[in-house]
Amino acid sequence: MKSYIFKSLLILITNIFIIQLIVAQEHSDANLIGHVVSEGEHIPFVNIYLEGTNFGATTDVTGHYMMVDLPEGNFTVVAKMLGYKTKKEKVTLKAGETVEVKFDLEEEVIKMDEVVITGTKTFKRQTESPVIVNVLDTKTIQSVSANTVSEGLNFQPGLRMETDCQTCNYSQLRMNGLGGAYSQILVNSKAVFSPLTGLYGLEQMPSEMVERIEVVRGGGSALYGSSAIGGTVNIITRMPQRNSYQVSSNNSILGKSAMDYIVNGTLTSLSQKRNSGFSLYTSHREREAYDHNNDGFSEMPRLTNNSFGLNSFFNLSENQKIEANFSSLHEYRYGGQLIDGPAYLALQSEERTHYILMGGIDYKITSKNNRTTTTFYLAGQYTKRQHYTGIAPDGGPELTDYNNNPPYGNSKNYSFQFGTQVNYLIYNFWGGNNVLTIGAEYSFDDVFDQIQAYNYMIDQNAITTGVFLQSDWSINSSFTFLSGIRADKHNFIDNLILNPRLSILYKPAQNTQFRMSWSTGFRAPQAFDADMHIAFAGGGIQTISLANNLKEEKSQSWSASVNWDKPTEKHIFGFTLEGFYTKLYDSFVLEEIGTDSDGNSIMEKRNGGNSNVLGATLELRTNYNRKIQLEAGLTLQNSQYDHPVQWSEELPGEKKYLRTPDSYGYYTLTFTPKGGFTTSLSGVYTGTMLVPHYGLAGDPGTPESDYLLESPSFLETNLKLAYTFSLNRLDSSFELFGGIQNIFNQYQNDFDTGKNRDSGFIYGPSRPRTFYFGIKLFN
């Protein structure tokens, strides 16, 4: 049956590809050009089309559009974008003539239909995408006062950021009940987030660099290859759209004493012809370590972070464009016993110094008739890390040996990806339009991580070659059928891996969409981010090793959803309800297998049979007169293995996924009256979950033995107040803002204490009650 599906898909897409090669279009040289503005600002990605025909285009990032070789005659040109009132203009097209039509749109109550790329690897509006794509924009990021990418992702349905180490605070993103290694993190649609980068990367990336974040939940994003089982997060960095600047400073007090100081700056510039431009951003952060239980060991590490980045574009001609980006990050991180001196003199500590370079370049060329777009891309990153992870012996010759050879380590990581993609538009394909996509890419990731004192080393070189085919067929105004297949050859797997995908979009009305998706995926038998983290447990360290016979993990995912929005003159209300189910075959599990010669715990990553994740996500959104806006999401799910997992040698196995709550969600409520005042109330809810706790008999700061804790549920509530002053003479604005994060201090109060603490026993919000205030100058 499975081979039949594969063959059918290949035959379907091959036939479609052959058809497009023989389809020709007559050249009339009747052209239409123009731009779209609103309140003086150009609007990108507005739908422009000839009413009653299949001819259309969208405005580019500068708000301009062009359609060529149109039919002759009298037509109505339509400019349409959800969030703005539709506008129409009459036009007469003649062969050999170019007509210019400019639109000035009036904004509606709220924008609900942004242009996205992550769901289909092509630009589409959210309501037209067969796959649900959620967007986290800068407005939401600022309203919740998210200083990093990781802080902002909590405010997306189906997503949950989780802190997993009391000492270093490494974190992971969980999607639809699956762990961080099941989520594909992209930067500008490129998979340059390596397993090593994933340990701290989302917390290291300042939100100032972000234009928007697109999120695809579930396996519907399988075209991006391995690790896109739980979903895909695409971080789109800022591109210049006008000449602007912004400088801000944020000052926080964590708990009662620890200071956190952040200063950011951005600058964007466009050339006079608007055919080239760049965006610059810079960020500096200084955070003191925070000790919540006053035992002399930190619960939040000390941070020093400096980052810089550049985005640019160059329109070489009307149909050729180059986009390039580059970023540099340096971070120092220290957690553990709070001492003055080198890390190895602490009773227990972790120290990390990261040097990260990341960048990419795209070249895009579009045919004169706008039917074919070809893109070549190259992206990569280099990470150099110096680190220390150690717990000092109590004394005697063991302590002397330890001090003579402290467990310092070094890491190096290279990742790069290059490929090409071709999109071809077929008009009048069995009654509708079809966008065919074909592409190929090559990915390389080399990780070397070593601590000689522990005889610990990871030397991993992962290479993947992939090709993908996709048919995005708009059958008519109500139905869209998306089919695709991706083939990957991974050097850790003997066989070629084929992963098909099918999605259907049905729109019975303009404001209603039904979707169904099915896809498969896989994860290679390699070390991922959490596998490279060394924890403290049982009075020593805890490492993860890979089983000798480890084989790839495979998945099948199903989802179905309904999306409904009801706009009126002064308010809009909408909801999305999605059900999802993922079955994992030969699931990766971690089981305790004993200790090494020094008494340190060893966890082995092995195949543990099958597992199932089943759940539903509800999103609600409403806006009244652009003054009050509410967005909320709630996920209910259940994740279980078919067979118990032996997480501890002391206890029976557990079928339920650990550290995975059955319910979690968020809300944001924004009040924006006239006069420059804004108030934002937000919250993140996490239900109960099973948290493993490793003990050490006889130690007063830890439990006597291992046990599973059912953690309490918690709701982190945040408040932000802001007032903006207009500086008309300077053509700028000045904002004062302040607020409280985690108002009711829903922070964990049962941490272990002392050097033998279990660093993985952490489950609450990422910070205690925090007061902050700041200023922002911008235009």
Side-chain angles (χ1 to χ4, degrees):
M1 180 66 182
K2 185 176 290 187
S3 62
Y4 172 77
I5 294 174
F6 291 155
K7 292 177 182 178
S8 299
L9 282 169
L10 287 172
I11 292 171
L12 168 66
I13 297 173
T14 302
N15 288 336
I16 291 173
F17 190 69
I18 293 172
I19 291 172
Q20 62 91 8
L21 291 176
I22 63 174
V23 175
Q25 181 172 328
E26 296 181 359
H27 296 278
S28 67
D29 203 24
N31 306 322
L32 186 64
I33 63 172
H35 70 203
V36 181
V37 299
S38 179
E39 298 181 352
E41 294 289 335
H42 284 83
I43 311 174
F45 307 130
V46 179
N47 280 325
I48 310 293
Y49 60 91
L50 300 183
E51 193 172 45
T53 75
N54 292 320
F55 294 95
T58 59
T59 57
D60 59 20
V61 293
T62 69
H64 293 76
Y65 71 92
M66 177 178 65
M67 290 188 285
V68 298
D69 292 326
L70 299 173
E72 297 182 73
N74 297 319
F75 296 94
T76 299
V77 187
V78 182
K80 184 177 181 181
M81 182 174 183
L82 197 62
Y84 295 87
K85 294 183 178 179
T86 300
K87 215 165 191 183
K88 300 181 180 182
E89 297 286 347
K90 299 290 185 180
V91 65
T92 299
L93 299 176
K94 297 181 180 180
E97 294 185 4
T98 297
V99 178
E100 184 176 17
V101 178
K102 301 178 180 179
F103 291 94
D104 191 344
L105 301 186
E106 181 181 350
E107 191 174 6
E108 290 184 337
V109 173
I110 184 174
K111 298 178 182 178
M112 298 294 293
D113 195 17
E114 298 191 54
V115 174
V116 294
I117 189 173
T118 309
T120 61
K121 273 186 174 279
T122 57
F123 287 103
K124 292 181 76 76
R125 294 207 167 277
Q126 287 174 286
T127 56
E128 297 171 357
S129 173
V131 180
I132 292 180
V133 182
N134 290 91
V135 177
L136 179 66
D137 58 18
T138 54
K139 183 178 179 181
T140 301
I141 291 173
Q142 292 175 5
S143 71
V144 299
S145 197
N147 296 309
T148 65
V149 170
S150 63
E151 293 176 5
L153 288 175
N154 276 315
F155 297 93
Q156 280 292 287
L159 274 61
R160 188 174 71 87
M161 285 301 304
E162 175 182 277
T163 302
D164 283 341
C165 181
Q166 183 185 3
T167 307
C168 72
N169 277 193
Y170 105 82
S171 59
Q172 63 173 305
L173 172 67
R174 292 182 175 267
M175 300 180 67
N176 279 3
L178 293 168
Y182 294 88
S183 303
Q184 182 78 286
I185 308 297
L186 308 176
V187 180
N188 295 319
S189 301
K190 312 300 183 301
V192 294
F193 235 68
S194 72
L196 183 63
T197 311
L199 280 171
Y200 308 100
L202 293 176
E203 186 185 3
Q204 292 170 334
M205 299 180 73
S207 58
E208 288 297 313
M209 69 181 291
V210 175
E211 178 179 302
R212 70 185 188 277
I213 300 174
E214 298 181 3
V215 178
V216 176
R217 299 189 303 272
S221 54
L223 281 185
Y224 290 100
S226 178
S227 301
I229 295 174
T232 300
V233 172
N234 193 4
I235 303 167
I236 310 294
T237 56
R238 289 180 186 265
M239 273 292 175
Q241 297 188 20
R242 64 186 182 92
N243 296 324
S244 66
Y245 74 91
Q246 179 175 298
V247 180
S248 64
S249 174
N250 189 320
N251 306 273
S252 303
I253 303 175
L254 306 171
K256 297 180 180 179
S257 57
M259 297 297 299
D260 189 3
Y261 172 71
I262 302 173
V263 60
N264 298 309
T266 60
L267 176 68
T268 64
S269 178
L270 288 175
S271 64
Q272 189 173 0
K273 294 182 179 180
R274 302 179 66 89
N275 59 3
S276 64
F278 67 87
S279 296
L280 293 172
Y281 78 87
T282 184
S283 179
H284 173 75
R285 182 176 192 176
E286 292 276 356
R287 189 180 77 187
E288 297 176 342
Y290 173 69
D291 179 9
H292 184 67
N293 53 13
N294 298 315
D295 66 341
F297 293 77
S298 66
E299 272 66 58
M300 296 180 67
R302 182 165 80 245
L303 294 178
T304 299
N305 184 305
N306 289 290
S307 56
F308 165 82
L310 166 69
N311 278 347
S312 60
F313 77 91
F314 307 90
N315 290 334
L316 305 179
S317 64
E318 291 181 350
N319 65 336
Q320 296 184 77
K321 183 177 183 179
I322 290 178
E323 292 185 358
N325 61 83
F326 170 80
S327 63
S328 172
L329 184 144
H330 172 265
E331 184 192 76
Y332 174 80
R333 177 182 297 246
Y334 175 86
Q337 187 182 23
L338 303 177
I339 64 167
D340 293 323
Y344 78 91
L345 293 180
L347 294 178
Q348 181 244 54
S349 69
E350 292 187 56
E351 184 181 52
R352 309 278 186 265
T353 302
H354 286 88
Y355 305 88
I356 302 174
L357 299 176
M358 187 179 297
I361 186 168
D362 293 9
Y363 169 73
K364 180 187 294 184
I365 182 169
T366 304
S367 63
K368 291 184 178 181
N369 60 9
N370 287 321
R371 295 178 64 182
T372 304
T373 301
T374 304
T375 303
F376 299 93
Y377 54 87
L378 170 67
Q381 68 87 28
Y382 167 69
T383 298
K384 179 181 178 181
R385 184 179 71 162
Q386 299 168 340
H387 57 97
Y388 169 88
T389 304
I391 178 169
D394 293 331
E398 292 85 0
L399 180 59
T400 301
D401 293 341
Y402 178 87
N403 289 334
N404 289 335
N405 185 28
Y408 283 95
N410 289 284
S411 309
K412 286 188 178 181
N413 177 213
Y414 304 86
S415 301
F416 68 84
Q417 179 186 52
F418 65 86
T420 183
Q421 175 179 320
V422 179
N423 300 326
Y424 184 81
L425 172 61
I426 304 176
Y427 292 121
N428 299 317
F429 180 82
W430 292 347
N433 295 337
N434 196 335
V435 178
L436 294 177
T437 300
I438 182 172
E441 60 188 20
Y442 176 88
S443 299
F444 173 90
D445 181 67
D446 183 85
V447 178
F448 179 81
D449 188 20
Q450 183 178 37
I451 304 177
Q452 291 184 347
Y454 293 146
N455 293 317
Y456 169 85
M457 185 177 71
I458 292 178
D459 190 0
Q460 178 175 275
N461 189 337
I463 301 173
T464 305
T465 303
V467 295
F468 51 87
L469 293 167
Q470 178 178 270
S471 166
D472 188 359
W473 180 21
S474 297
I475 301 173
N476 52 43
S477 60
S478 298
F479 281 96
T480 299
F481 177 59
L482 181 73
S483 60
I485 189 168
R486 180 181 174 109
D488 285 288
K489 182 63 183 74
H490 196 289
N491 64 319
F492 290 177
I493 304 174
D494 293 334
N495 301 320
L496 184 72
I497 303 293
L498 296 176
N499 287 304
R501 173 174 74 169
L502 300 173
S503 296
I504 298 174
L505 168 65
Y506 170 56
K507 298 189 292 184
Q510 183 178 3
N511 63 339
T512 306
Q513 304 96 44
F514 292 91
R515 294 176 173 89
M516 293 184 65
S517 292
W518 169 80
S519 65
T520 66
F522 81 103
R523 285 206 304 157
Q526 66 181 75
F528 293 96
D529 43 13
D531 306 325
M532 299 182 185
H533 178 257
I534 297 178
F536 296 108
I541 63 168
Q542 186 179 74
T543 59
I544 296 173
S545 64
L546 305 185
N548 292 328
N549 59 346
L550 188 67
K551 61 182 180 180
E552 70 271 15
E553 178 183 43
K554 296 184 178 181
S555 70
Q556 289 201 52
S557 298
W558 293 263
S559 69
S561 66
V562 56
N563 185 89
W564 180 84
D565 292 289
K566 177 63 177 177
T568 65
E569 184 177 352
K570 289 201 171 183
H571 96 279
I572 191 168
F573 172 78
F575 73 88
T576 301
L577 178 62
E578 179 188 30
F580 58 88
Y581 173 69
T582 299
K583 187 173 185 64
L584 300 175
Y585 303 92
D586 297 316
S587 303
F588 294 156
V589 300
L590 291 177
E591 294 190 319
E592 191 173 35
I593 61 171
T595 59
D596 61 17
S597 58
D598 296 321
N600 297 313
S601 173
I602 300 176
M603 304 292 289
E604 185 176 75
K605 181 176 179 177
R606 55 177 62 166
N607 297 109
N610 301 337
S611 65
N612 302 274
V613 179
L614 174 69
T617 295
L618 174 65
E619 306 171 43
L620 298 174
R621 50 194 171 269
T622 185
N623 182 291
Y624 176 73
N625 205 24
R626 289 195 292 243
K627 293 181 179 180
I628 301 176
Q629 180 166 322
L630 171 67
E631 296 184 30
L634 177 65
T635 298
L636 303 175
Q637 62 92 44
N638 183 267
S639 306
Q640 290 203 17
Y641 297 100
D642 288 351
H643 306 289
V645 175
Q646 197 76 30
W647 67 274
S648 167
E649 286 189 310
E650 300 178 4
L651 297 172
E654 174 62 46
K655 285 188 176 182
K656 195 173 179 63
Y657 279 25
L658 303 184
R659 307 185 65 88
T660 306
D662 287 343
S663 60
Y664 55 94
Y666 77 98
Y667 75 90
T668 61
L669 176 63
T670 305
F671 177 54
T672 311
K674 293 183 178 180
F677 178 72
T678 302
T679 301
S680 299
L681 187 67
S682 61
V684 176
Y685 167 76
T686 304
T688 62
M689 56 184 167
L690 296 178
V691 182
H693 196 177
Y694 293 93
L696 178 62
D699 184 84
T702 62
E704 285 293 304
S705 59
D706 301 348
Y707 72 95
L708 271 178
L709 170 76
E710 183 174 348
S711 67
S713 61
F714 53 85
L715 176 64
E716 180 183 354
T717 305
N718 315 299
L719 174 68
K720 179 181 179 180
L721 306 175
Y723 192 87
T724 303
F725 303 87
S726 295
L727 306 176
N728 296 326
R729 185 177 180 84
L730 300 177
D731 192 26
S732 300
S733 298
F734 178 73
E735 180 182 287
L736 293 175
F737 62 88
I740 309 174
Q741 293 168 321
N742 198 358
I743 295 175
F744 303 108
N745 206 23
Q746 296 271 291
Y747 196 61
Q748 184 177 344
N749 280 315
D750 59 350
F751 288 111
D752 286 357
T753 60
K755 76 166 191 175
N756 294 320
R757 64 186 186 174
D758 174 8
S759 64
F761 183 62
I762 181 171
Y763 57 81
S766 61
R767 61 191 158 216
R769 182 187 294 121
T770 300
F771 295 87
Y772 68 93
F773 64 93
I775 58 174
K776 180 168 66 174
L777 181 64
F778 61 98
N779 71 341

